[in-house]
Amino acid sequence: MSSQKYASLRYTALRFGLLIGCFAVVYVLCYAHVIPLGVGSSNLMWMVLLSLILSAPLSWVLLRKQRDAMSVQIVERVDRAKAAINANAGQEDGV
């Protein structure tokens, strides 16, 4: 249970790290002239967008385990909230 305690935080941190890693690769490729630079002052925006496009499918494949753990954590929270709401509704109905 404790391994899933921080599942959402772990997934988010890994996703952000993957985005930063993709940005670093895109940055190097842009300035090595392997891929084209943006037009005018749009270079930074071009690199960020390309990094987002690259990191999305990578995170889908590489972070599956962390995403599943986060999903379990969220489902458990929702179930606890529903149980608390149902318990409160039972008390209000004249028990």
Side-chain angles (χ1 to χ4, degrees), residues 18-61:
L18 187 60
L19 177 64
I20 297 300
C22 286
F23 182 81
V25 169
V26 168
Y27 182 87
V28 168
L29 291 176
C30 277
Y31 284 101
H33 298 289
V34 175
I35 57 176
L37 294 171
V39 177
S41 63
S42 69
N43 192 31
L44 180 64
M45 185 61 70
W46 159 251
M47 290 191 294
V48 169
L49 289 173
L50 190 56
S51 300
L52 285 168
I53 291 169
L54 291 174
S55 69
L58 287 174
S59 72
W60 182 255
V61 174

